[in-house]
Amino acid sequence: MTLAEENALVESEFNDLLQGYINSNHRKKVEMIERAFRFARKAHKGVRRRSGEPYILHPIAVAKIVSREIGLGSTSICAALLHDVVEDTEYTVEDIEGQFGSKIARIVDGLTKISGGIFGDKASVQAENFRKLLLTMSEDIRVVLIKMADRLHNMRTLGSMAPNKQYKIAGETLYIYAPLAHRLGLFPIKTELEDLSFKYEHPAEYARIAGLIKQSESRRNSIYNDFSAPIKESLAKMGLKYEAKARLKSVYSIWRKMETKHVPFEEVYDLYAMRIIFDCDDPTQEKATCWQIYSAITDLYRLHPDRTRDWISAPKANGYQALHLTVMGPDGNWIEVQIRSRRMDEIAEKGFAAHWKYKIGGESDEESELNVWLRTIKDILDDPNPSAIDFLDTLKLNLFASEIVVFTPKGELITLPTGATVLDMAYTLHSQIGDKCIAGKVNHKLVPLSHRLSSGDQVEVLTSRSQTPKPEWLAFLATAKAKTRLKAALRRIQQPDIERGRSIIADYLSERQSEPTNEILTKMMAYYHVTTRDDLYLRLGRGDISLDGYILRPAKDSDKSLFKKILRFGRRKDDSEPGSDAPAPSPARINTKEIYHLHCGGADQNFIFPDCCRPIPGDDVMGFINDAGQVEVHSLTCPRAQVLKASFGNRILATAWDVVQQKFRAEILIGGIDRHGILSELTAMISTQLGIDIRALNIAADKEVFECRLGVMVDDTGAVDSLCAKVKKIKGVKSAVRVS
């Protein structure tokens, strides 16, 4: 592309952004947006993205998302155009303030502080960067909304990145950004982030499911038309102005259902939902209209009694309002119908940006749902020393929680995540109430601290002055706020023992003329099987363990940091002869930018399997370089892998199965109708006809139905697929799926 063609493309993209803004409902500040564009274009002049295109196209694309998909105005569009200027060029925040004022400068400054993604290279930096992100949210929510748009465009253009970077960014997106988009009410963005992450982590599976969706389109449309025609006729008689459409489940959510329910694509029946969006000029009539539509639909179709969701009377914490019901469709499958007003739909699509627009006078900023949530998040931010992994996991509890609504004895409404207990409720009210809580009364009935609450419960918390926080309480807490407050209380109680333990280690090392380095403390933690330094100090301080039997070995190359050695693979057995004084040859460094080829079995195996998952050749996997310099291989669906991708992106390897010289264990779940002799047919087919070794077999029958869990040794996923297909041909077998 010539320079003239590039300039024409940039101008065309900017004019498209401008036209979309002019067509919106915002006050027209075109001159300021044009100035921001010219300023950013000059600042990024000559710079290109990894794909080779001019860099300025990225800020324009982010500004388009901010304007059209989130619905923000001129201030946010300008900040989006300028969001990389301070980080990537010689211009400062003061320059931005001089040209565009303090409001835009403050947003650009907030975006600069959290640049480079949420996560840095070191654990403490990750936690700190994430704190910055959440703190800037409380100052101006537009910072995180623009950051969300930036991440969405980066995901849309992820194809130009190296495979290991794709894993890192996709994992980080799925772990943090998608839940954050969900919490902010940005449902279309959350769905697209999930789908794009899935596409890069599991490209073959993504393509397969997308293909199956396309194949079933005509049949699906036919069923939807049969289902919706009577409803449309009924709504027309009511004289409503409305829009009705089928909302298809995303590829990622279909795959998740297939994975969690162990069902094939053909058995995912709720592939789509019907959405009815009606126009209503009077907000006070919205609720009544929703229930009128509900009544019309239930006159036509049979209602599922347990799947009605009223988020109009009690909106979700992110502002979402709608009435959901599930009815039996003409094909005998359940179909969900979502009923919303035009106002509710805009809030559902654009989140809090639209929520402000429709805000009813009298509701103070301090009590908006977002600020209530941000106050909860600040409890986590106030925790002085979380480990990065704990910090992110605790936060994720709050980000992606399904919700219930409970009441205090005075009728005050409190939103909690599903699975919350009486103790969660106590800590939500106040940390001192949580610390002193002994039991609860739910609907006037006495219950223990661990009692799980249900929506609509009336909850009274009972306290005692003599009560003290217990470590075992952590096992049944569901809210991030409660876990953070309990850990802080336990630390206060345990602090004298921790200090005593710290002193014991300091004295022990001082006597041996050594320092408490990271390497020494890490080895001690491994020796005593504890996960944190505080746990080590605490157990020593309490006298649970002793250093008497511990032998301190002098560290070799102690001046070199552990991190410098992380990218080196462990020594092979044949590198030096036993007893030889000759040093082993230095192992080659692992290039994280190249695909790492996995050799299975034999002397040249170049990876290890951790305890958390056991993938087999053919599975989508990734490599992780652990602290010992070994390559761990994790399935991409492994929960531990999600954390590693989000937290240690610089140690992630893109991998490919190469030389395979061993068998792998796989677990198969078989179900069907029980009959005499079915077990012998199963075992004969697997061991005799297919020549597959059976390592475990557990079969149980309940009246006419049986379930069999089978452990077999196979070469790869192809052998598993073939086994499942052949087993399903046995009379009576209804399903056969791999479960691990």
Side-chain angles (χ1 to χ4, degrees):
M1 191 183 288
T2 65
L3 189 60
E5 286 172 331
E6 278 188 357
N7 288 336
L9 174 64
V10 170
E11 289 293 337
S12 166
E13 288 294 314
F14 175 67
N15 287 331
D16 186 41
L17 162 68
L18 213 51
Q19 201 55 52
Y21 170 69
I22 289 166
N23 294 338
S24 72
N25 298 326
H26 289 281
R27 285 182 297 160
K28 304 301 174 276
K29 295 185 179 176
V30 174
E31 183 273 333
M32 187 168 71
I33 292 173
E34 285 186 333
R35 275 198 301 116
F37 166 63
R38 304 294 166 204
F39 188 94
R41 189 174 186 185
K42 181 184 172 188
H44 294 300
K45 187 176 180 181
V47 181
R48 296 185 177 277
R49 297 195 85 203
R50 194 179 290 267
S51 59
E53 66 183 18
Y55 193 88
I56 188 64
L57 289 173
H58 169 65
I60 293 171
V62 173
K64 273 191 194 177
I65 295 168
V66 161
S67 173
R68 295 182 189 178
E69 299 182 44
I70 304 180
L72 298 174
S74 58
T75 301
S76 300
I77 292 170
C78 290
L81 287 167
L82 299 164
H83 79 273
D84 279 334
V85 166
V86 174
E87 186 193 355
D88 294 344
T89 75
E90 70 275 9
Y91 290 102
T92 64
V93 174
E94 288 72 29
D95 295 328
I96 303 286
E97 186 169 0
Q99 292 274 346
F100 301 99
S102 60
K103 196 181 288 182
I104 290 173
R106 193 169 66 246
I107 295 173
V108 172
D109 186 36
L111 287 159
T112 305
K113 282 176 183 167
I114 56 170
S115 61
I118 285 172
F119 306 102
D121 289 339
K122 298 190 179 79
S124 59
V125 177
Q126 292 155 24
E128 194 51 47
N129 280 346
F130 203 36
R131 282 183 187 199
K132 285 179 186 172
L133 175 71
L134 294 163
L135 286 169
T136 52
M137 284 173 67
S138 55
E139 290 167 19
D140 193 326
I141 190 65
R142 286 174 292 195
V143 172
V144 81
L145 293 174
I146 296 167
K147 188 67 187 169
M148 203 61 70
D150 180 42
R151 174 49 57 119
L152 179 58
H153 184 247
N154 284 336
M155 286 301 295
R156 286 173 177 173
T157 56
L158 195 57
S160 58
M161 302 292 278
N164 67 316
K165 287 285 186 188
Q166 288 177 354
Y167 286 159
K168 174 197 180 299
I169 294 168
E172 174 180 294
T173 299
L174 206 54
Y175 194 70
I176 295 295
Y177 281 94
L180 201 50
H182 173 86
R183 206 64 172 84
L184 294 167
L186 302 169
F187 295 110
I189 289 178
K190 169 230 169 192
T191 301
E192 189 175 351
L193 288 174
E194 286 176 340
D195 270 7
L196 287 168
S197 297
F198 177 54
K199 180 181 177 181
Y200 285 104
E201 291 195 336
H202 303 274
E205 194 65 5
Y206 179 90
R208 186 178 79 84
I209 294 172
L212 290 168
I213 290 170
K214 191 150 186 66
Q215 283 172 28
S216 63
E217 187 175 12
S218 58
R219 181 177 149 275
R220 204 170 55 244
N221 287 344
S222 170
I223 294 169
Y224 172 74
N225 291 335
D226 290 346
F227 173 73
S228 62
I231 295 175
K232 289 176 180 177
E233 193 179 317
S234 185
L235 296 185
K237 287 177 186 171
M238 291 166 63
L240 283 176
K241 284 176 69 179
Y242 72 93
E243 177 190 350
K245 56 189 177 184
R247 183 195 65 84
L248 186 66
K249 242 184 185 339
S250 69
V251 175
Y252 176 75
S253 61
I254 290 170
W255 175 77
R256 286 288 300 159
K257 186 146 202 174
M258 290 164 63
E259 286 289 301
T260 53
K261 303 279 187 187
H262 302 304
V263 295
F265 176 85
E266 295 72 29
E267 290 179 28
V268 180
Y269 294 120
D270 55 342
L271 279 179
Y272 68 89
M274 182 183 185
R275 187 171 289 165
I276 297 168
I277 303 157
F278 62 88
D279 294 323
C280 183
D281 297 329
D282 182 0
T284 61
Q285 291 301 307
E286 287 179 344
K287 186 174 179 180
T289 308
C290 283
W291 286 106
Q292 283 170 8
I293 296 169
Y294 172 95
S295 179
I297 294 168
T298 51
D299 285 345
L300 294 165
Y301 295 109
R302 186 152 61 91
L303 177 73
H304 192 302
D306 299 326
R307 285 173 64 179
T308 298
R309 299 287 180 267
D310 176 10
W311 281 306
I312 302 168
S313 306
K316 286 189 175 184
N318 54 23
Y320 179 83
Q321 285 183 287
L323 181 59
H324 292 193
L325 66 151
T326 301
V327 292
M328 179 71 78
D331 62 340
N333 289 316
W334 295 106
I335 296 174
E336 184 179 73
V337 184
Q338 302 170 352
I339 306 167
R340 306 173 178 172
S341 69
R342 187 71 58 187
R343 176 191 69 85
M344 294 173 192
D345 186 61
E346 196 169 347
I347 289 170
E349 295 296 302
K350 294 182 177 174
F352 278 101
H355 194 56
W356 294 335
K357 180 177 164 184
Y358 289 107
K359 212 161 155 183
I360 298 163
E363 183 197 15
S364 66
D365 276 342
E366 286 72 36
E367 291 311 309
S368 74
E369 291 96 336
L370 179 64
N371 280 288
V372 170
W373 179 62
L374 286 173
R375 283 208 303 274
T376 303
I377 291 297
K378 281 194 170 181
D379 276 332
I380 306 170
L381 299 174
D382 290 339
D383 188 10
N385 55 350
S387 81
I389 303 296
D390 283 351
F391 179 66
L392 298 175
D393 279 344
T394 305
L395 189 82
K396 198 169 164 64
L397 287 174
N398 258 38
L399 288 179
F400 231 167
S402 300
E403 290 152 345
I404 58 170
V405 175
V406 297
F407 300 91
T408 65
K410 293 181 179 177
E412 182 190 345
L413 188 145
I414 291 177
T415 302
L416 293 168
T418 300
T421 61
V422 170
L423 190 59
D424 283 298
M425 173 81 162
Y427 275 114
T428 300
L429 296 171
H430 198 280
S431 54
Q432 288 183 7
I433 295 175
D435 291 347
K436 299 296 180 186
C437 181
I438 53 167
K441 277 189 177 179
V442 174
N443 305 324
H444 309 291
K445 182 184 173 186
L446 195 65
V447 295
L449 294 180
S450 57
H451 177 82
R452 299 207 179 278
L453 304 173
S454 302
S455 244
D457 282 347
Q458 188 176 46
V459 187
E460 182 184 351
V461 176
L462 306 178
T463 59
S464 166
R465 286 183 182 178
S466 60
Q467 179 68 295
T468 56
K470 309 285 191 296
E472 54 268 25
W473 289 0
L474 283 165
F476 54 79
L477 287 176
T479 61
K481 173 183 273 191
K483 287 200 170 192
T484 305
R485 289 181 167 180
L486 174 57
K487 284 177 181 175
L490 290 172
R491 261 201 305 275
R492 283 196 301 273
I493 295 168
Q494 295 164 351
Q495 202 56 42
D497 288 330
I498 289 172
E499 291 304 324
R500 195 176 301 114
R502 198 193 307 271
S503 174
I504 290 168
I505 284 183
D507 293 345
Y508 174 85
L509 294 175
S510 175
E511 287 170 11
R512 288 156 181 79
Q513 298 178 339
S514 189
E515 295 288 323
T517 62
N518 280 341
E519 194 169 352
I520 286 173
L521 291 174
T522 302
K523 284 179 179 174
M524 280 188 174
M525 284 157 55
Y527 181 81
Y528 290 108
H529 304 293
V530 295
T531 53
T532 67
R533 289 187 189 184
D534 276 0
D535 283 347
L536 178 65
Y537 298 146
L538 180 65
R539 294 189 66 192
L540 278 168
R542 281 181 178 166
D544 296 343
I545 57 175
S546 164
L547 292 177
D548 291 347
Y550 185 76
I551 300 169
L552 181 69
R553 290 183 173 84
K556 294 176 183 176
D557 303 326
S558 57
D559 56 318
K560 293 180 182 177
S561 73
L562 181 62
F563 191 73
K564 286 179 182 174
K565 291 184 258 179
I566 266 170
L567 296 184
R568 296 185 178 275
F569 195 78
R571 181 187 297 176
R572 280 171 46 177
K573 289 179 185 175
D574 57 351
D575 282 343
S576 59
E577 292 298 321
S580 167
D581 292 328
S586 177
R589 291 173 68 87
I590 296 169
N591 187 346
T592 57
K593 293 179 181 176
E594 292 179 355
I595 291 177
Y596 188 80
H597 292 272
L598 303 173
H599 298 263
C600 315
D604 64 342
Q605 177 154 329
N606 60 353
F607 68 92
I608 60 168
F609 283 121
D611 295 334
C612 50
C613 62
R614 298 291 294 184
I616 66 177
D619 283 335
D620 291 331
V621 294
M622 64 161 220
F624 170 70
I625 303 169
N626 65 20
D627 289 350
Q630 299 165 306
V631 175
E632 294 178 6
V633 171
H634 293 263
S635 165
L636 283 177
T637 55
C638 167
R640 176 71 182 157
Q642 294 288 353
V643 177
L644 294 174
K645 280 179 289 183
S647 309
F648 300 101
N650 57 317
R651 298 204 219 166
I652 300 300
L653 293 169
T655 56
W657 296 99
D658 200 348
V659 181
V660 180
Q661 298 177 335
Q662 68 182 70
K663 300 274 187 186
F664 294 83
R665 178 160 173 152
E667 298 280 333
I668 315 289
L669 189 65
I670 302 167
I673 308 301
D674 194 22
R675 63 178 172 82
H676 182 71
I678 196 165
L679 179 59
S680 61
E681 278 186 49
L682 263 173
T683 52
M685 170 176 274
I686 294 165
S687 59
T688 308
Q689 293 179 34
L690 299 177
I692 291 174
D693 289 338
I694 297 174
R695 283 286 179 269
L697 192 149
N698 192 326
I699 191 164
D702 183 10
K703 296 183 176 134
E704 296 83 17
V705 177
F706 82 91
E707 186 177 274
C708 174
R709 189 172 278 267
L710 196 65
V712 290
M713 300 303 290
V714 293
D715 295 318
D716 53 27
T717 53
V720 175
D721 295 341
S722 172
L723 186 153
C724 289
K726 286 183 171 139
V727 162
K728 281 195 271 192
K729 290 178 181 173
I730 295 174
K731 184 185 171 186
V733 173
K734 299 298 180 188
S735 66
V737 290
R738 179 181 165 208
V739 289
S740 71

